[in-house]
Amino acid sequence: MLSVLMMVAVLSVMVFFSLIIAPMLFSTLSATYAGAFVRKFFPRYYLILGLLSLLTGLIATDATISGIGFVCAALFLISLFMTPAINRASDRHDKRHFVLLHGGSVLISLLQMGLLLWGILRLSW
């Protein structure tokens, strides 16, 4: 049961950031300040959610839930290592690479949210 609560926590943070925080940041702050915030935020976001996902994988008694936890942890690690490349592309005004890398990170997040939701629903039914 704790593993399901941890999955709910990770999914909730991801959805809250995506639907509430990110739009408010970029509509309230200038691109310079919003960008500075995001550069500080995302490494911590990926690290904390990655560790929670890893812990979920370790404590889950259901093999599928354990697998989801490990996959999400690995994807958070990939996103963490993609962040400097995304920042470099932005700094260099390399729109093609920025769009490719940022789009990849968004797809990873959507995949994670889908996996987490599927796992939560699977154990809830």
Side-chain angles (χ1 to χ4, degrees):
M1 182 59 137
L2 181 58
S3 60
V4 176
L5 293 175
M6 291 172 66
M7 288 174 64
V8 169
V10 171
L11 180 60
S12 297
V13 168
M14 294 179 77
V15 169
F16 184 73
F17 180 81
S18 299
L19 297 180
I20 307 297
I21 301 298
M24 282 180 64
L25 261 177
F26 289 97
S27 67
T28 305
L29 300 176
S30 70
T32 302
Y33 289 119
F37 174 83
V38 167
R39 285 176 185 234
K40 292 284 188 182
F41 176 79
F42 271 115
R44 291 165 177 87
Y45 172 86
Y46 292 138
L47 181 63
I48 291 166
L49 294 182
L51 289 172
L52 279 173
S53 296
L54 178 62
L55 188 56
T56 297
L58 291 170
I59 68 168
T61 55
D62 179 274
T64 301
I65 300 306
S66 183
I68 290 170
F70 290 135
V71 167
C72 284
L75 291 171
F76 279 121
L77 185 63
I78 290 168
S79 295
L80 179 64
F81 286 109
M82 285 176 67
T83 301
I86 294 169
N87 292 340
R88 275 192 303 277
S90 177
D91 293 343
R92 294 177 182 156
H93 306 287
D94 184 349
K95 186 171 180 154
R96 186 170 83 66
H97 282 110
F98 177 80
V99 168
L100 180 70
L101 292 166
H102 181 264
S105 72
V106 169
L107 287 175
I108 288 172
S109 291
L110 290 172
L111 174 62
Q112 289 171 304
M113 287 189 268
L115 286 170
L116 290 163
L117 182 60
W118 178 68
I120 292 162
L121 292 174
R122 183 178 176 278
L123 289 182
S124 298
W125 296 101

